[in-house]
Amino acid sequence: MKKSILLFGFIGGMFLFPFNANIFAQSGTDSTVIKLAQEVNSLKAGESHFLVVGLTTFGFVNSSTTTNGIKQKPSSTNTFDANHYEFSPMFLWRHGKNLLLEFEPSFDGNQIGVNWACASYFVTPGLIVRGGYFVLPFGMYNKRLAAGWIDKVATDPIGVADAPPASDWGVEAEGGLPLGSMKCSYDIAITTGYQMLHDKLQDGALQNPNGSGLTDNNNNKMVSGRFALLPFSNSSLEIGVSGIFGKVGDTNDSLYKDATTTMYAGDITYLADIRPFLLNIKGQYNVINVNKGTFPNPGDSTKTYSFSNTSTSYFGQISLRPVSLRNKIIRNFELAFRYANYITPKGSLWEQNSTQTSIGLDYWLSWRSIIKLTYETVNSNYASMGISGDKTKTNYVYLQYSVQF
Amino acid sequence: MKKINIKNLIVACLLFSIPVSTIISGCAASAKVAAKTGSQLWSENCRRCHNTPPATAFSADQWETIGLHMQSRALLTETEKNKIVQFLKGE
């Protein structure tokens, strides 16, 4: 309770910032003239600007799976890649110089969902406040790299894009600040929160609010945030740390009402010019903890079974593009390699240890349109309550096109 | 959950506004960073997530809107955003 007062106070305090910022203003004729000009500007009717952009991604996939060493039939399938299809217009409406409304509906082949719908107010240098439905500040993949025309391989890293839920309803405060020759940024959100599942097959897992049917099962809000430092003056290195804290138990559930989650993430981005190449390194590591891991045994409800409810996921990606070559064709090629791993709790009913290795050869038709040829192998070991299950290995070849328009 | 006590909330707001605003206004760029041009900042910052868009990709009005959008995505400082938008608008 005290925590939520402090947090609301924190956000509220930021709203008050423009008033006490005057303390720092310089006196003198110059500042009086600037102030007058600002006052005149603030009285002018704000100009509005409406912009429709968006993206689409589509392609083909060939896949073949081996389960416990036995090739599955048919030995390989060639299909339109429905899993990664997306058509998402994005509506940006700017009112004056400080208000931006963003709406991105998205059709994934089956249904129309909403990626985000929110209003951002640029309060003062270094402070943006937002309200609505938005991508949570946790790590960097979901907020910054998930778009098909940005991602350099045809798929999302396993367990990174989907395991910590992506979007939620709430309020957010963020900003970028100079720090001598460095830079830093903060991004804090208070949102509705997630729900811990308690339905046998997924006992102890968290429900992703990004899908349908999120119910706010308690009155406590969830807090998420990311803090980042860009230590070099040319912004080539960014290191981010994130956390998510909140109740996930159902208030009506006497056994699990106190269930809480704590998540952490670390992310890194580094760009280096190694002529003629641009080297691009990206990575993110996530840990998801839930404090409940004892549930009724599905085989015998008079007994319980327990596990340590921690999941981890990470990805590392390296890509190389000869940007400064003269040859226009060759400089539009990019080579990308990504490794990802996802481990769910050992001893749970949904135990999984999956690794995903992806190699991509991309061709950039313009700065925002890309053709990707990705070869990917996903190895998964499944288990249930400590008893080993299937081991699968699937090879994929993707040919994908994505464009921002 | 207990109802939020308005008095506590106001006190918390005031208490937090002082350090937060001090930190925000106390943050300053070094002389080297402050001297950077819009084109330099554009070439250094925009490539961190995607390819750097050329100035010709959008109109001046559109760059104003995209400037706000990217200031939020990339958490650019106000000066960076202003200089980059000015450069992209050809001013």
Side-chain angles (χ1 to χ4, degrees):
Chain A
M1 178 60 233
K2 271 199 184 129
K3 258 193 226 153
S4 57
I5 291 188
L6 288 182
L7 274 154
F8 277 113
F10 178 67
I11 302 246
M14 289 179 153
F15 272 110
L16 291 176
F17 168 66
F19 303 107
N20 60 30
N22 285 338
I23 303 167
F24 302 95
Q26 281 185 349
S27 57
T29 335
D30 278 3
S31 63
T32 318
V33 171
I34 291 169
K35 254 194 198 152
L36 275 173
Q38 279 171 347
E39 250 179 77
V40 170
N41 279 337
S42 72
L43 292 173
K44 284 183 189 165
E47 38 151 351
S48 287
H49 181 252
F50 190 67
L51 175 64
V52 186
V53 285
L55 73 115
T56 187
T57 302
F58 59 83
F60 300 92
V61 58
N62 166 281
S63 69
S64 56
T65 304
T66 315
T67 305
N68 304 323
I70 300 161
K71 254 198 174 325
Q72 297 295 289
K73 294 230 156 82
S75 59
S76 84
T77 53
N78 279 299
T79 53
F80 183 76
D81 181 14
N83 284 341
H84 300 98
Y85 168 78
E86 176 178 4
F87 186 94
S88 315
M90 177 164 52
F91 303 91
L92 292 174
W93 181 57
R94 172 173 58 82
H95 188 76
K97 293 212 179 294
N98 300 78
L99 183 63
L100 181 72
L101 289 103
E102 285 177 60
F103 176 48
E104 189 178 87
S106 179
F107 179 61
D108 68 1
N110 291 314
Q111 54 181 14
I112 296 183
V114 173
N115 290 343
W116 54 82
C118 52
S120 306
Y121 189 72
F122 294 69
V123 183
T124 190
L127 173 62
I128 305 166
V129 292
R130 174 171 303 126
Y133 183 68
F134 51 80
V135 182
L136 291 174
F138 184 74
M140 65 166 171
Y141 187 82
N142 285 337
K143 209 159 185 161
R144 300 176 158 194
L145 304 175
W149 63 278
I150 296 179
D151 193 358
K152 295 180 199 296
V153 295
T155 57
D156 289 320
I158 193 163
V160 172
D162 44 355
S167 298
D168 203 0
W169 287 269
V171 289
E172 187 177 17
E174 61 177 20
L177 302 167
L179 212 64
S181 62
M182 304 193 284
K183 233 167 36 180
C184 68
S185 69
Y186 66 93
D187 192 342
I188 302 165
I190 301 175
T191 56
T192 307
Y194 319 139
Q195 183 169 333
M196 186 187 77
L197 295 176
H198 177 198
D199 67 351
K200 302 252 172 9
L201 278 179
Q202 293 200 65
D203 276 341
L206 297 180
Q207 183 175 329
N208 191 335
N210 206 18
S212 55
L214 169 85
T215 38
D216 188 14
N217 55 0
N218 57 58
N219 290 323
N220 283 278
K221 299 295 159 247
M222 187 178 79
V223 178
S224 50
R226 177 175 179 269
F227 178 81
L229 188 71
L230 291 94
F232 302 147
S233 63
N234 66 0
S235 301
S236 60
L237 176 66
E238 177 165 357
I239 299 165
V241 285
S242 313
I244 292 185
F245 313 95
K247 275 210 162 170
V248 291
D250 192 330
T251 31
N252 298 322
D253 185 338
S254 56
L255 276 180
Y256 298 105
K257 64 174 188 287
D258 296 329
T260 55
T261 186
T262 346
M263 308 189 192
Y264 300 99
D267 62 77
I268 187 163
T269 301
Y270 179 63
L271 280 99
D273 289 294
I274 306 171
R275 284 185 179 268
F277 295 101
L278 173 64
L279 171 74
N280 195 326
I281 295 174
K282 293 198 155 73
Q284 181 176 327
Y285 184 81
N286 302 330
V287 184
I288 303 174
N289 283 310
V290 177
N291 70 345
K292 297 282 178 211
T294 300
F295 298 92
N297 190 314
D300 176 357
S301 58
T302 59
K303 291 189 179 135
T304 56
Y305 75 105
S306 298
F307 57 90
S308 155
N309 200 346
T310 300
S311 306
T312 57
S313 56
Y314 66 84
F315 83 92
Q317 178 178 297
I318 181 162
S319 61
L320 209 56
R321 180 175 171 192
V323 276
S324 40
L325 276 189
R326 280 191 179 200
N327 187 310
K328 276 190 186 161
I329 307 236
I330 298 178
R331 75 170 180 225
N332 288 327
F333 277 103
E334 182 154 12
L335 199 61
F337 174 78
R338 189 186 66 198
Y339 183 78
N341 175 248
Y342 180 37
I343 301 179
T344 57
K346 277 201 172 63
S348 67
L349 289 169
W350 39 290
E351 186 178 335
Q352 173 187 348
N353 184 342
S354 296
T355 57
Q356 178 196 39
T357 312
S358 321
I359 299 170
L361 180 65
D362 301 329
Y363 189 77
W364 291 98
L365 297 166
S366 74
W367 70 275
R368 53 179 166 173
S369 60
I370 176 173
I371 297 175
K372 305 177 209 178
L373 181 66
T374 303
Y375 178 78
E376 187 172 286
T377 303
V378 179
N379 276 301
S380 296
N381 293 344
Y382 298 97
S384 179
M385 293 171 71
I387 300 160
S388 296
D390 284 344
K391 285 186 185 2
T392 61
K393 176 180 177 170
T394 308
N395 293 322
Y396 300 93
V397 180
Y398 293 95
L399 181 63
Q400 188 183 79
Y401 170 71
S402 188
V403 63
Q404 188 274 328
F405 52 81
Chain B
M1 190 173 86
K2 275 185 279 169
K3 271 203 188 134
I4 292 175
N5 181 327
I6 297 292
K7 233 179 15 195
N8 285 352
L9 184 62
I10 293 173
V11 172
C13 276
L14 289 173
L15 281 178
F16 271 101
S17 71
I18 297 163
V20 167
S21 51
T22 312
I23 291 167
I24 293 182
S25 12
C27 288
S30 66
K32 191 177 138 205
V33 169
K36 289 193 185 215
T37 62
S39 88
Q40 203 177 348
L41 290 167
W42 160 77
S43 69
E44 287 176 356
N45 280 282
C46 305
R47 65 185 198 169
R48 216 159 57 246
C49 301
H50 49 67
N51 294 317
T52 309
T56 48
F58 293 95
S59 70
D61 250 357
Q62 289 174 327
W63 279 126
E64 278 289 344
T65 304
I66 293 163
L68 285 186
H69 195 210
M70 287 307 117
Q71 181 177 11
S72 156
R73 278 295 173 282
L75 296 175
L76 302 169
T77 67
E78 185 75 6
T79 315
E80 285 176 332
K81 188 266 286 176
N82 290 340
K83 284 186 177 173
I84 292 171
V85 168
Q86 239 171 22
F87 162 74
L88 289 168
K89 285 163 75 176
E91 281 171 5

